[in-house]
Amino acid sequence: MCFGLRIRPGEDSAFAGWSRCHDFVLGADAIAPHLLADLRAVDSKLDNCQACVQSAPVEKTVLRLDPSRPFQVEGPLLAFWLPRGRGRDEVARGLVCAAHCCANPGCLCTDADLTAVPIDDRVQRVELVNSSMKLVGRSGGDLPDIAPIGFLLDIVTGAARGIDGGPLPADVVPFLEAPFPGWVLDHLFARWRDARPCREIRWQDGMLGHWLPGEMLSFMETHPDERFDQYLVGGKKYQADILFCGVPACSCLDGRWCLFEVRRKPGVTMELHEVGSARLLPDDMTPVDRLVEPGAETVFADVFSAWKQRHAPPKARFMELRKRTRLRGAELCDLMAKGALPLPPTRRMTNPKPSRNAPCPCGSGRKYKRCCGQVGKP
């Protein structure tokens, strides 16, 4: 006699940190006698619970496929399509995935476990009933089952990798050459956020004590429950943010694109180190008035290019974030006018003297003690 144990993440708090399903089979001779009796009792109780399992609500998602659209999303289902080849007989190749997000609120991972199936334009729609996927052809009949492919997707950075640190499956690589659009990652992040009972974040609390009416507002600070727009470049993680004018009555289109390096330190979940910033021209999204750290110009340009490609067209993304940020600015000003939020004390901007080994503020790239900090030099 053998007992099979199947563990799924999020279903049992004792195994909530596991990344995938695991199966174990134990022989009767490997189990102590007193535990064997308990397992038989549990097995009989499971038989009695079949009616409860059958009466559970059925979650069904249907995605109608359109090969002319590179990306399609419906609930946990995603579809990617490659450009159709030349010739009348060429078929469109696609990949349909079912995304499963970790539901453990104590886990800090931002991975989505994707179960993918290669398809072509003979498939009309995909039906996902609970965790069972079915392909329906254009003639109306069900297509034969295809062995699924598994891989992981970081819904914050958009980086894909194989299971257990292995390489990506060869059938998946062609579909991941183009970066994931920002709206697809935002959709997956919304499902990841809804899957775990996280505490409510009051964005007003983060703005108290340092924001004054008339100063520029950060979209990241006014929307802390949104997905952080992060990128992987050269083995390092970077985060992009945009500052907007926070005056409700102002009609300016000013926006400053900022780039931060994400650093991890013991005892600190995430620390942001500013790399540089640039003012965006709203007409063509050209960065001007750049203020970038010495030696970081290439990284700044690469991440900005990736940002424009992820959020194409970038002007639509810019105007959407501007609208949402200015609405939060109007709420802050209204709350301060009503006295619901205390007005921060007026601050004087100071220009502190840099340390001797710090980079010189003149931008020469040398240390302060070797440049403007030399004795007798103005």
Side-chain angles (χ1 to χ4, degrees), residues 33-56:
H34 66 283
L35 294 178
L36 188 60
D38 295 338
L39 288 174
R40 288 198 177 104
V42 171
D43 187 56
S44 62
K45 291 182 180 180
L46 291 176
D47 293 337
N48 297 331
C49 292
Q50 292 299 321
C52 299
V53 175
Q54 295 176 0
S55 62

Side-chain angles (χ1 to χ4, degrees), residues 95-308:
L95 190 74
V96 62
C97 307
H100 304 278
C101 299
C102 177
N104 179 17
C107 181
L108 298 179
C109 76
T110 55
D111 292 334
D113 196 342
L114 299 185
T115 304
V117 175
I119 58 174
D120 53 37
D121 54 5
R122 294 176 298 177
V123 183
Q124 182 183 31
R125 68 179 186 273
V126 181
E127 298 179 357
L128 183 67
V129 181
N130 290 340
S131 59
S132 177
M133 189 186 304
K134 182 175 67 173
L135 306 179
V136 180
R138 297 193 178 278
S139 59
D142 296 345
L143 298 178
D145 295 336
I146 304 176
I149 307 170
F151 65 98
L152 299 177
L153 174 67
D154 190 337
I155 59 179
V156 176
T157 62
R161 65 183 189 277
I163 301 296
D164 292 335
L168 283 171
D171 296 337
V172 175
V173 173
F175 298 93
L176 302 179
E177 292 179 354
F180 279 87
W183 64 270
V184 175
L185 299 177
D186 292 340
H187 175 84
L188 292 175
F189 181 81
R191 294 191 57 83
W192 174 88
R193 182 183 57 198
D194 296 341
R196 51 183 66 195
C198 300
R199 64 180 181 87
E200 182 182 358
I201 301 177
R202 279 180 47 86
W203 61 271
Q204 299 94 333
D205 297 342
M207 304 303 299
L208 293 178
H210 72 90
W211 185 79
L212 288 172
E215 295 181 345
M216 301 192 78
L217 281 174
S218 161
F219 176 81
M220 182 178 62
E221 289 186 341
T222 54
H223 298 80
D225 56 343
E226 296 285 337
R227 182 186 66 87
F228 292 158
D229 201 9
Q230 296 184 354
Y231 303 81
L232 286 177
V233 177
K236 295 183 179 181
K237 188 179 295 185
Y238 297 90
Q239 181 167 307
D241 190 19
I242 305 182
L243 305 179
F244 297 95
C245 174
V247 179
C250 183
S251 59
C252 70
L253 298 177
D254 287 345
R256 193 159 191 87
W257 192 84
C258 303
L259 181 65
F260 303 90
E261 181 185 347
V262 181
R263 298 177 178 177
R264 302 279 183 178
K265 287 188 175 181
V268 180
T269 304
M270 182 174 64
E271 183 182 73
L272 299 180
H273 173 74
E274 186 173 1
V275 177
S277 63
R279 185 169 62 90
L280 295 182
L281 298 179
D283 294 334
D284 54 0
M285 293 290 103
T286 302
V288 297
D289 300 337
R290 297 192 182 190
L291 298 175
V292 186
E293 284 187 340
E297 292 82 2
T298 303
V299 172
F300 187 88
D302 292 344
V303 178
F304 183 76
S305 177
W307 176 81
K308 293 178 65 176

Side-chain angles (χ1 to χ4, degrees), residues 326-349:
R326 289 172 69 90
L327 288 176
R328 289 291 171 89
E331 293 180 32
L332 278 176
C333 293
D334 185 58
L335 291 174
M336 289 181 177
K338 294 180 179 179
L341 293 178
L343 187 65
T346 304
R347 306 186 304 274
R348 290 190 307 169
M349 301 302 295

